[in-house]
Amino acid sequence: MSDMLGKELRWSVFAVIFAFAPVVASEPEVELGIEWRGFAEPGFYGQDQSRFSARGELGYDGAMLSGDYELLLFGRYDVHDDERTHLDLREASWVYVGDEWSLKGGVSKEFWGVTESLHLVDIINQTDGVEAVDDEDKLGQPMLKLASEKEWGTISLFWLPYFRERSYPSLDGRLALPFEVRADEAQFESGAENKHQDVALRYAHYIDELEFALAHFSGTARDPLLVFNNNPLDPAFIPFYQQIDQTSLEAQYIYDSWLLKLEALTNKGLGDRYAAAVAGFEYTQVGIFESYADLGWIIEYLFDERKNDVSVIFEDDVFIGWRYAFNDADSSEILFGGIFDTHTDERIYSLEASQRISSDLKVFVEAWMFEGLPRLTPTSGLDSDKKTQFLQTEDFIQLELVKYF
């Protein structure tokens, strides 16, 4: 934990220096959030059902050295889980835009993907494993990106000189695994460890209503294998980061009120090459019930060839969801959905809602339910065919109040 905070603090010092360099700077953008999580049951290790934390974000943008820069510093303090207390430099990047080309350098975030239930092809940034359940929060990634934009499409080259390891909740945290994950003992296939030079190439284009992108990534897998240390007196998981080559496709097509989506990849690491995909659609009813609101119907199928791999949760599953946008002055939205395993009785339900309650205050509501399996106990043992067994005691509702400055 201390090593991780040391790295983050060094990055934070760099961010402060970065902030004073620009010739033109914007007013700082600040967010402060207070979060409460209430769990339906005590945790596997008797963890409390009520959890509190607070987060803050500080952002700048402006002009510097004939280009534009962006700075975003994120921090959270968790009352109960030391591993969830962390700092992260999400952005500290500079971009120069020339004629049909651009260059970005620094720490930044790059999102790939189009589907709702799972961002399968999104691989540039490491997941912030202590922030949220849905893996949508990402750590800042040191990178150099060169992009060329032509009439026939945009080609982007990425050089990723430093790898960031995934974080995990402690045994005092919630949604923790049955055994401690010792991130400080992480192992790497590459002798260069977290200094392996990763690279990626992406081609993106659109033709009428079709948008698509082809990409290839070569480097350290962002999602580690969790290896049991085989010590029954001091059991723990050790993250192992393998080297992979991943080629991916993402596409979406608009047809009237339909949005067709696809993410697919083929990946080769230490094991056999495998394929995975997420495909589906979102259909939007505009002005439903003769109101200003829109209702979106979402159905997606999640497939992964590694059906017997304990690290793969979604190998043959269906997602069904509804997105309700009120289109009101308070930007009110609700997203509800569920993922259903076609072979077991495992089900994951989620709810996300938000509403602005004043010009500078917004409330977020989030809820997760994990159903269909018996509760995991210290004497029941793990079943590799039941991937969400350790989550069956982790149903919770989360409330967050965010103040904008």
Side-chain angles (χ1 to χ4, degrees):
M1 176 66 184
S2 60
D3 291 342
M4 182 189 72
L5 282 177
K7 292 178 183 178
E8 302 300 347
L9 288 173
R10 288 195 292 272
W11 284 26
S12 301
V13 170
F14 169 73
V16 173
I17 297 173
F18 198 96
F20 283 97
V23 177
V24 179
S26 67
E27 290 294 323
E29 297 183 2
V30 180
E31 292 184 21
L32 294 177
I34 299 175
E35 178 188 282
W36 170 81
R37 284 180 174 180
F39 288 80
E41 302 179 40
F44 180 77
Y45 290 100
Q47 301 98 317
D48 294 338
Q49 292 175 243
S50 187
R51 323 284 288 189
F52 293 92
S53 69
R55 69 169 178 90
E57 292 186 12
L58 171 64
Y60 281 96
D61 58 59
M64 178 180 68
L65 303 176
S66 301
D68 297 319
Y69 82 97
E70 184 175 358
L71 172 69
L72 180 61
L73 183 64
F74 173 89
R76 179 178 294 279
Y77 172 74
D78 192 288
V79 175
H80 309 274
D81 185 0
D82 289 342
E83 293 299 327
R84 200 166 184 245
T85 297
H86 65 299
L87 294 172
D88 184 52
L89 190 59
R90 302 292 207 224
E91 288 276 355
S93 60
W94 175 81
V95 179
Y96 178 82
V97 179
D99 295 333
E100 297 186 336
W101 67 277
S102 64
L103 178 68
K104 174 189 280 191
V107 176
S108 189
K109 292 198 293 184
E110 182 80 14
F111 174 75
W112 298 350
V114 294
T115 54
E116 181 67 43
S117 57
L118 180 65
H119 302 310
L120 186 67
V121 304
D122 191 29
I123 195 172
I124 295 296
N125 292 82
Q126 177 61 277
T127 297
D128 189 338
V130 296
E131 266 305 297
V133 184
D134 55 14
D135 290 345
E136 293 191 359
D137 291 87
K138 301 292 182 177
L139 302 176
Q141 169 64 45
M143 69 171 66
L144 187 65
K145 174 185 176 182
L146 176 63
S148 176
E149 185 174 351
K150 303 290 186 180
E151 292 184 356
W152 41 264
T154 300
I155 293 181
S156 302
L157 295 170
F158 297 85
W159 174 46
L160 313 172
Y162 182 81
F163 173 76
R164 302 198 62 194
E165 300 172 32
R166 181 169 296 194
S167 53
Y168 293 90
S170 70
L171 294 183
D172 294 324
R174 295 304 301 258
L175 280 77
L177 291 167
F179 303 117
E180 177 187 5
V181 180
R182 294 180 180 165
D184 57 344
E185 299 179 16
Q187 299 177 357
F188 295 82
E189 179 185 356
S190 169
E193 298 186 341
N194 57 9
K195 297 180 179 60
H196 185 272
Q197 307 300 292
D198 300 346
V199 293
L201 170 67
R202 185 172 187 260
Y203 169 72
H205 193 39
Y206 67 91
I207 302 173
D208 297 328
E209 303 302 320
L210 173 66
E211 297 182 15
F212 64 93
L214 290 167
H216 183 79
F217 170 89
S218 180
T220 308
R222 272 44 184 164
D223 192 6
L225 303 174
L226 295 180
V227 182
F228 186 58
N229 67 351
N230 292 320
N231 185 351
L233 299 179
D234 186 23
F237 287 124
I238 307 300
F240 176 78
Y241 294 93
Q242 59 179 323
Q243 292 295 298
I244 63 169
D245 284 284
Q246 176 174 299
T247 303
S248 62
L249 166 68
E250 56 192 281
Q252 63 178 5
Y253 181 77
I254 302 174
Y255 178 74
D256 291 336
S257 298
W258 296 82
L259 182 58
L260 309 180
K261 305 178 183 183
L262 169 68
E263 292 187 30
L265 62 80
T266 175
N267 185 303
K268 179 66 174 70
L270 287 175
D272 296 333
R273 178 175 292 277
Y274 72 89
V278 181
F281 68 85
E282 180 170 356
Y283 173 74
T284 302
Q285 293 178 274
V286 179
I288 191 170
F289 306 131
E290 298 183 353
S291 68
Y292 293 107
D294 299 336
L295 176 63
W297 299 72
I298 310 169
I299 297 179
E300 294 177 350
Y301 174 64
L302 297 81
F303 168 79
D304 195 306
E305 282 187 327
R306 301 170 296 169
K307 297 183 183 298
N308 297 321
D309 192 323
V310 295
S311 65
V312 180
I313 295 180
F314 307 118
E315 76 283 358
D316 190 8
D317 300 72
V318 175
F319 171 81
I320 302 175
W322 296 266
R323 189 196 316 275
Y324 195 90
F326 290 82
N327 294 324
D328 57 2
D330 297 324
S331 303
S332 307
E333 290 186 344
I334 299 175
L335 174 63
F336 173 75
I339 296 180
F340 308 89
D341 192 295
T342 60
H343 297 288
T344 69
D345 198 27
E346 294 171 88
R347 305 179 301 277
I348 301 176
Y349 301 103
S350 63
L351 171 73
E352 299 177 20
S354 62
Q355 184 179 46
R356 191 174 297 278
I357 56 179
S358 70
S359 60
D360 57 357
L361 280 176
K362 195 169 185 178
V363 62
F364 295 85
V365 179
E366 189 171 334
W368 289 81
M369 293 179 62
F370 307 93
E371 303 296 327
L373 295 177
R375 274 27 179 179
L376 182 66
T377 67
T379 59
S380 62
L382 289 170
D383 187 335
S384 61
D385 292 329
K386 299 173 180 177
K387 311 296 180 60
T388 63
Q389 190 175 8
F390 74 96
L391 294 171
Q392 297 299 305
T393 59
E394 299 300 287
D395 297 353
F396 74 94
I397 184 171
Q398 173 179 301
L399 304 177
E400 184 185 35
L401 182 65
V402 179
K403 167 75 172 178
Y404 301 91
F405 296 88

